[in-house]
Amino acid sequence: MHVIGTAGHVDHGKSSLVRALTGTNPDRWLEEQLRGMTLDLGFAHLRFEDGVEAGIVDVPGHERFLHNMLAGAAGMELLLLVVAANEGPKPQTLEHLAILAYLNVKRAIVVLSKSDTVDAEELAFAEELVREAVAGTPADGAPFVAVSSHTGAGLDELRRAIHAALLALPSRAPDAPAYLPIDRVFALPGHGTIVTGTLMQGRIATGEHLVLQPLGREVRARSLHVFGRERDVVEGGARVAVNLPGVETGELARGAVLASPQFVARDSVEVTFRPLPLALGLLKRRTPVRAYLGSAEILGTLAFERAPMDASPVSARLHLRTPTVVFPGAAFVVRRLSPKTLLGGGTIAALDGGPLMASDDPPDVAAVVAALASAGLAGGEAGRLGAAANVRAERAEEILADLVDEGRALRLTKPVAFVDGVLAAEATERVRAHLQASESATPWQPGVVVRTLGRELGIPEAALARVLALAAEDGRLAYRAGYYATPEFQPQLTADQRAFFAARFAAAAPPANAPVAHDELVAAMRACAIPGIHVAFETLLAGGALVKIGDDVYRSEQINEIRTKLEAALRRDKQLTMAAFRDLAGTSRKFAVPLLEWFDATGVTIRSGDVRVLRIIPPRR
Ligand SMILES: Nc1nc2c(ncn2[C@@H]2O[C@H](COP(=O)(O)OP(=O)(O)O)[C@@H](O)[C@H]2O)c(=O)[nH]1
Ligand SMILES: [Mg+2]
């Protein structure tokens, strides 16, 4: 389904035309009917015999109500530009065209209205004036149809032109996340709050959970109606009425958005802006604006690197006083605060600033790939990446799963996130190169901790840690005792370093199980002036050759021997007291207590009252 919109000067016959086409008077308010003037948006349903249908949004033509026109203009795809044949183009004819040039109009039909008031010559003259006026606008090259809503002349021809144009319109991204700018809020007795709007993209199903933005309020779409008929599912382009239980009409107003949960409200967005040539002189480096996004009018500031000098598209940042949700590619216009002169418009850039890359991928895959790239090494979770790519969360999950299968993305766990495969591979390669260099410079090192790697390579530690953990899992890097190393690397102590430790631990061998006090060892290392001795000590600890228990350091042989004896004794006697352990280990109580606590901590023994028992390891399933 698609949305047709009217545009044109006040009193040129827009509302009469909509009524003639659909039988519905789009002037909904009593006041409008009494004054004979459209103040707010009107809605009607156009149906053809073959089932083709569309919603019509009828806009006010008076410039005082331009903000209402703007609230309805974002959803229009087929434009009916109405120009009274007896008057020709007027200021709002041109103003509406200037605005619509920035929005989503894909096709246009020019309606020369009130054809009953002019003769053939006047009609031809009016047509000529309009052709000149629409040059370079969305109505340039559009078919012209002369119509009288009073006599019905030309209405059939107009219907045929509309039918053909509707069939030619592209579908509206049904796989994108749902985005429905709300243009009406009212209460229906017995049903509660109803909101209406044009579903700009995506689809909504009955019962679906959505979020009202910028309130951030979760809601359920209890029922969906399209022009009075109940639907289970509606797709992009439809005029929809949604029943939202549990919401008060007072909480909501035109300008709110009913959207898929993956959207995040933001108060600042990157945009591509096209200045209106006439407004160039009004654009400063920071220009206060009224921004029209979806059905909302939001005050804000348009900020440029430097004030634009010509009308070509330029990157800018739109800061908003009230946060709202937007999707990449969404169109907007901005006006001056006062007077409300049109300044220009444009589109929301990719949400995280990443360029969309050219590729053979279908557009939604390419968009997710681009979102992944701009998420950097930290990556992102599927919903966030989908929002940045303007792809529904479920579809984003699918695409990401495929990318993981193809090796183009990596799946991080705890919490789950996806990271660009190329970025991760690059980071891993840089780490490998760094490790190789440092391993050959100081071969006695145990490896490098991730914090040092992050600092040296200028990569945030948290993101790097997650990516390197994956590299360690698939064997591209080794990870031991907190240190990363290349898989081939074996630390090598220098002769001096080895001699130092051999001398220090000469006495600490079975059966004399006395350890070396850690403090003394550190003091000796400080005093010895052997290069790299502290790092070498770390290597011996990380590799398990030395074991620090409490305040003391043991050789691994000592610990292994004590452990063998301990396990044998426990198997035989089922339990062991501290005194028995002390004798068994051939040590004193001073060392026995921390030793046994260490065996508890490393899962060998379990303390049970005053005795230790062997930890029973459950059989593997
Ligand atoms: N003679 C004639 N008058 C028309 C025609 N269409 C609209 N009008 C009159 O023009 C005035 C404005 O029409 P309306 O539809 O409200 O214009 P809008 O402001 O563009 O919506 C009303 O008095 C209508 O009766 C037409 O086809 N022929
Ligand atoms: Mg009207």
Side-chain angles (χ1 to χ4, degrees), residues 109-139:
I109 298 170
V110 176
V111 179
L112 286 169
S113 60
K114 309 193 187 182
S115 64
D116 58 294
T117 62
V118 293
D119 60 23
E121 200 182 320
E122 288 167 318
L123 186 69
F125 180 59
E127 180 171 341
E128 204 176 302
L129 290 178
V130 178
R131 282 200 195 277
E132 268 173 39
V134 303
T137 76

Side-chain angles (χ1 to χ4, degrees), residues 431-576:
V431 165
R432 272 187 69 102
H434 182 87
L435 288 173
Q436 271 162 354
S438 98
E439 287 162 3
S440 66
T442 56
W444 53 84
Q445 66 172 23
V448 185
V449 295
V450 68
R451 166 181 238 167
T452 308
L453 289 168
R455 195 185 54 227
E456 294 285 323
L457 301 176
I459 302 174
E461 184 186 337
L464 188 61
R466 279 157 69 77
V467 168
L468 293 187
L470 277 186
E473 232 166 69
D474 65 23
R476 275 170 302 149
L477 293 177
Y479 182 71
R480 282 183 296 258
Y483 295 93
Y484 279 99
T486 61
E488 315 74 54
F489 177 66
Q490 289 294 335
Q492 288 286 319
L493 269 58
T494 62
D496 285 352
Q497 292 165 350
R498 270 190 315 239
F500 172 89
F501 290 106
R504 285 279 139 193
F505 283 85
N513 270 330
V516 176
H518 185 255
D519 285 353
E520 281 170 30
L521 191 60
V522 170
M525 286 194 288
R526 281 219 190 91
C528 78
I530 298 171
I533 194 72
H534 295 275
V535 174
F537 178 49
E538 281 303 313
T539 300
L540 294 172
L541 289 173
L546 296 179
V547 184
K548 182 167 183 286
I549 295 175
D551 298 328
D552 303 293
V553 183
Y554 293 80
R555 289 160 59 138
S556 61
E557 294 97 314
Q558 293 174 281
I559 298 301
N560 289 343
E561 177 172 307
I562 297 170
R563 178 182 175 147
T564 308
K565 286 182 181 167
L566 173 64
E567 287 180 346
L570 281 171
R571 256 185 230 105
R572 190 184 58 231
D573 303 335
K574 302 297 173 234
Q575 59 178 55
L576 200 66

Side-chain angles (χ1 to χ4, degrees), residues 58-74:
D58 181 44
V59 304
H62 197 288
E63 67 164 323
R64 276 212 302 137
F65 304 106
L66 197 68
H67 57 282
N68 288 336
M69 179 270 177
L70 277 158

Side-chain angles (χ1 to χ4, degrees), residues 9-16 36 38 114 116-117 148-150:
H9 202 72
V10 64
D11 266 352
H12 275 206
K14 296 179 292 299
S15 300
S16 304
T38 311
K114 309 193 187 182
D116 58 294
T117 62
S148 168
S149 302
H150 283 189

Side-chain angles (χ1 to χ4, degrees), residues 35 86 151 159 191 206 257 267 272 306 383 442 455 549 611:
R35 281 169 69 173
N86 58 350
T151 67
R159 279 202 190 87
H191 291 86
T206 310
V257 182
D267 57 10
T272 303
R306 67 187 79 84
T442 56
R455 195 185 54 227
I549 295 175
V611 298

